[in-house]
Amino acid sequence: MSKPLKCDICDNPATVHLTQIINNQIHKIDLCESCAEQKGITDPNGYSLADLLVKPGQVEETAEDNALVCDECGYTQRDFKKTGRLGCPSCYETFAGLINPALSGMHKGEDHKGKVPEKALERKSGLDRLHSLELDLQNAIDSERYEDAAQFRDEIIALKRDLEEEEREQVDAD
Amino acid sequence: MLIKSIFGGKSEMTEGSAKKCPVVLMTRVRLARNLDSVPFPGWAKKAQRNKVLETCLPAVASLSQMKRGITAELEELSDLEKQILVERHLISRELSSSSEKTGVVISRDQSVAVMINEEDHLRIQVIKSGYRFKQAWTAINGVDSSLEDELDYAFSSKIGFLTACPTNVGTGMRASAMMHLPALVISNQMEKVVRAVNQLGIAVRGLFGEGSDASGSIFQISNQTTLGESEQDIIKRLSSVLRTIIDQEMNAREKILEKDPNKLYDKIGRAYGILQNSHLLSSSECMNLASLVRFGVDLEMFPENTRNIVDRMFIECQPGHIQYHAGGNIESADRDAFRAAYLRKQFEGVEKPIFNIHENETKDQNSESKEGEKE
């Protein structure tokens, strides 16, 4: 009680003290009223935002570097800090440096151990392969490498047949 | 049209199982899923949201689980219809208030509901009455796997299903149980329970989710973390916490009956009197009365079939449902009168509670245990 606590964000005297226990680890944040309000901490329902703040030191460091923008959707680091949400699936890669350290404090672990959408992943990798073969074929034709082109064409036909077969099997299974 | 089919069908929420379940009213599992390469609904432009809706709505509606179900865009629904869906836990309050390019598909038995363009592109939920996580998981896993045939999900092999909020990433699963804990509330132990449970990564909320109050002594208990454990492990961990809470509630009930039975009998007796005779009832008072009568049913003070009336009260006494039954928009004061009349009718045939049943029972149990000790 000797020295008054300062706000972790702006150095004003801190009047809001948040203590959270996640996985038996204690996280403490001290904030002034206006920063607390800004972060949604005075709202008892807004604690998912507080989860993102569990390492305030880190937030301050990166606050100077506000240059991160998601190529895919244009979401900025500022948007992320304001809402605690992300813009699109690719944001998880763009902001990995910010999200990944926070994930361990928020969850039981850092790696997914649950269900994997096998069928969707298989289909996606098949379609990706088809797409790249089609590009190869077009390139081969453009540069008049007809032997290569014939090979790509055969591979495409074979892959398409496989993909269709899989789909038929699925329909039968349903 | 929509409302008629909602009320026409049987609902997992209001009918309940024949099996007696004193503490857990219902079990719910929800999965958050998103489409690959499309911005999450909160950031997507209107055209993108529209595309998601146009892709997902037919994909979900054509699932075998949704046969003869309800499919709607929220824009098409009236405020009252939306309110009724919220009160029946079929859509969230968030979805009902942000209606731009959002949709919902509900199965015929109302046990499966899929929201489109809520916080995530897809929010799939399965509700089962009573304490039935296993069935709820099997059902939702089936819905999810069938959807996966049609839709490309955003998924990372490292951190699992990608969601708009990092708090849902991984399994994207929230499993929750709706628990009726009147004895813990009466004996002021709920705060202690909430604190203990929070430390285990389990959240406690009111009946209508985040920010709602716990009227009727009903609490929603759910996992807070979604990454680092399999779905089964999360459910296992949650279940062990639920079992502890059930034990605590049962202990609290015994203690109240032992220490101060008159206080409890008085509450239950008054609740019965009010339900039979009142002429103005607010929905929150109604919830608390329903809670006391349900407690009475658990204690065998009322016949078992009273439980159905009470469980229906928790839903049907909400403002939206009352307005529907009253045949249109009515003012709050009129709703209170209508609600009271509806309940007088419901409780007309319910017999007076039996008050002394437990005193004999506890005596019997005591003498039994004494005999046991002698042996």
Side-chain angles (χ1 to χ4, degrees), chain B residues 41-60:
Chain B
W43 183 243
K45 300 198 169 64
K46 192 173 176 184
Q48 290 167 319
R49 289 169 64 101
N50 193 28
K51 184 119 188 282
V52 169
L53 188 63
E54 281 177 356
T55 312
C56 292
L57 209 56
V60 177

Side-chain angles (χ1 to χ4, degrees), chain B residues 135-206:
Chain B
Q135 281 110 315
W137 167 250
T138 308
I140 203 164
N141 191 26
V143 173
D144 181 51
S145 295
S146 317
L147 273 179
E148 183 196 315
D149 288 343
E150 306 289 323
L151 305 170
D152 287 326
Y153 284 157
F155 181 81
S156 137
S157 49
K158 167 98 171 92
I159 55 170
F161 291 97
L162 303 175
T163 50
C165 186
T167 51
N168 291 318
V169 87
T171 57
M173 182 184 80
R174 174 154 288 154
S176 64
M178 210 69 96
M179 300 184 91
H180 182 226
L181 306 171
L184 288 175
V185 171
I186 290 172
S187 56
N188 290 323
Q189 292 185 69
M190 232 9 245
E191 206 180 312
K192 190 184 80 185
V193 170
V194 170
R195 235 181 300 133
V197 162
N198 280 347
Q199 288 194 21
L200 298 167
I202 303 288
V204 182
R205 299 185 174 84

Side-chain angles (χ1 to χ4, degrees), chain B residues 208-336:
Chain B
F208 287 99
E210 250 162 79
S212 64
D213 64 347
S215 60
S217 300
I218 297 178
F219 298 87
Q220 231 183 91
I221 319 263
S222 63
N223 62 301
Q224 255 190 59
T225 60
T226 51
L227 178 65
E229 285 174 293
S230 69
E231 291 83 355
Q232 285 79 2
D233 286 344
I234 292 172
I235 288 175
K236 226 185 272 168
R237 192 160 56 83
L238 179 65
S239 298
S240 82
V241 171
L242 295 181
R243 271 193 297 273
T244 313
I245 298 175
I246 293 173
D247 287 347
Q248 297 275 333
E249 166 69 17
M250 288 317 200
N251 284 341
R253 289 184 184 188
E254 257 172 51
K255 219 165 255 165
I256 291 174
L257 278 176
E258 211 174 281
K259 270 190 170 165
D260 207 352
N262 280 335
K263 195 168 146 197
L264 182 66
Y265 293 159
D266 183 62
K267 280 178 193 280
I268 295 175
R270 280 167 191 264
Y272 174 76
I274 292 171
L275 287 166
Q276 276 199 330
N277 296 294
S278 83
H279 282 252
L280 288 172
L281 268 182
S282 71
S283 70
S284 82
E285 183 179 7
C286 187
M287 294 292 284
N288 291 327
L289 297 172
S291 164
L292 284 165
V293 174
R294 196 178 205 274
F295 194 1
V297 177
D298 292 341
L299 298 173
E300 294 173 357
M301 294 166 66
F302 296 102
E304 182 59 32
N305 61 16
T306 318
R307 186 186 304 278
N308 264 339
I309 303 179
V310 179
D311 285 355
R312 234 180 296 135
M313 267 169 81
F314 286 128
I315 300 296
E316 308 244 329
C317 287
Q318 300 295 328
H321 279 74
I322 290 293
Q323 286 190 42
Y324 171 71
H325 286 304
N329 264 328
I330 53 173
E331 292 294 306
S332 172
D334 295 333
R335 283 205 297 271
D336 290 353

